[in-house]
Amino acid sequence: MTYPILWLVASSLKPNHEIFTTAYSLIPSRLEFSNYATGWKGFAGTTFGTFFKNSFIIVIISTIGAVASSALVAFGLARTKFFGQQFWFACMMITMMLPHDVVIVPQYVMFAKFGWLSSFKPLIVPQFFGIPFFIFLIMQFIRTIPKELDEAAKIDGCSKYGIFFRIVVPLIVPALITCSIFSFYWRWDDFINPLIYLNNPEKYPVSLALKLFLDGESLNNWGGMFAMATLSLLPVVIVFFIFQKYIVEGISTTGLKG
């Protein structure tokens, strides 16, 4: 698992003509740091700074929307009694099992009619309607919280929203952080959806911009491609090492551990 990452980093520091001729070795004949400079220049005047900015816009807003909406829906399903509760819970579970490929065409037609193509909206707005996996994970966490806390809050005059924001949210922070980390990973690595909805290179995220190195004019710039691929791993690695303890705590508490 570690070797591909080491190979990627080593290739980003090799001279361009050595990357594949000495692919068996992790030690470059000389360190070629210029790969990072040439790769960062990007394409047609659009640098990788723009691509990283686009990725962060999409990832941060999407993550906030996904976690906030999923927490609210999970609280409603876990703590509120309403007509058809089991039916809506079953519908939510079915959507979690639905392959993404099945909904690509109807989603594309719908977003085309909305006039959202070539914008970030198809990548961000759906996240504000809840993610089934996050809803299920947060529900499991909420079910570990004693209902007596809700009753005590009601006696003190708390409304449903007051119970959610003042009692439940502070107690489900590990689950929220776990969902945030998963959402960050998924949106950062997402390639298919930006490929479908974005047709302006200035709006490309990093995951899609790396594909431009395979275009004809940049065919030989393998060093630049591997250098930018290495940089694209940094946000993911940093997030993992900062919040790894919350991943373990969030998953183990919800009973999803193996």
Side-chain angles (χ1 to χ4, degrees):
M1 182 177 176
T2 306
Y3 182 79
I5 298 175
L6 296 177
W7 190 91
L8 175 67
V9 176
S11 298
S12 72
L13 295 172
K14 287 181 177 180
N16 208 42
H17 63 277
E18 287 186 7
I19 292 176
F20 294 109
T21 56
T22 60
Y24 53 84
S25 174
L26 294 179
I27 302 175
S29 62
R30 70 173 187 274
L31 296 177
E32 195 73 29
F33 291 104
S34 62
N35 288 335
Y36 286 85
T38 56
W40 187 263
K41 291 179 181 177
F43 312 93
T46 305
T47 68
F48 259 78
T50 301
F51 300 138
F52 272 96
K53 182 193 71 175
N54 295 337
S55 285
F56 280 116
I57 291 174
I58 295 171
V59 169
I60 292 174
I61 300 178
S62 297
T63 298
I64 293 173
V67 175
S69 58
S70 298
L72 194 59
V73 174
F75 174 72
L77 289 172
R79 282 290 206 262
T80 305
K81 299 294 182 184
F82 57 89
F83 178 75
Q85 182 180 22
Q86 294 301 320
F87 170 77
W88 292 116
F89 177 75
C91 289
M92 187 272 294
M93 294 299 291
I94 291 173
T95 59
M96 187 166 64
M97 302 170 189
L98 202 62
H100 177 65
D101 297 342
V102 175
V103 299
I104 287 179
V105 173
Q107 277 188 343
Y108 183 87
V109 173
M110 182 176 68
F111 293 144
K113 289 184 178 179
F114 290 168
W116 289 1
L117 298 185
S118 193
S119 74
F120 293 156
K121 292 178 182 176
L123 308 176
I124 293 175
V125 175
Q127 306 302 316
F128 282 77
F129 292 90
I131 305 299
F133 175 70
F134 295 165
I135 295 172
F136 180 72
L137 190 146
I138 297 173
M139 278 184 65
Q140 294 296 96
F141 205 102
I142 291 176
R143 284 171 176 166
T144 64
I145 301 173
K147 291 185 178 180
E148 287 77 11
L149 293 176
D150 295 16
E151 299 299 329
K154 283 182 182 177
I155 294 173
D156 290 339
C158 264
S159 63
K160 282 289 183 184
Y161 289 103
I163 295 172
F164 174 69
F165 287 108
R166 297 182 181 182
I167 306 299
V168 174
V169 169
L171 295 174
I172 62 172
V173 169
L176 298 180
I177 293 178
T178 301
C179 294
S180 300
I181 294 169
F182 280 128
S183 178
F184 185 93
Y185 288 168
W186 294 346
R187 300 279 77 77
W188 187 267
D189 293 339
D190 188 12
F191 175 79
I192 296 297
N193 288 309
L195 179 65
I196 293 173
Y197 297 116
L198 299 179
N199 52 29
N200 184 350
E202 292 184 356
K203 295 181 179 177
Y204 281 4
V206 174
S207 59
L208 194 55
L210 291 173
K211 182 186 75 68
L212 296 177
F213 282 104
L214 300 180
D215 292 344
E217 295 180 357
S218 305
L219 183 61
N220 295 324
N221 193 9
W222 293 106
M225 186 187 76
F226 287 127
M228 293 303 101
T230 301
L231 289 183
S232 72
L233 290 177
L234 291 180
V236 177
V237 173
I238 292 172
V239 168
F240 175 77
F241 280 107
I242 292 177
F243 298 105
Q244 59 177 328
K245 67 175 183 179
Y246 293 103
I247 297 178
V248 175
E249 184 179 355
I251 292 177
S252 62
T253 308
T254 55
L256 295 180
K257 61 184 178 180

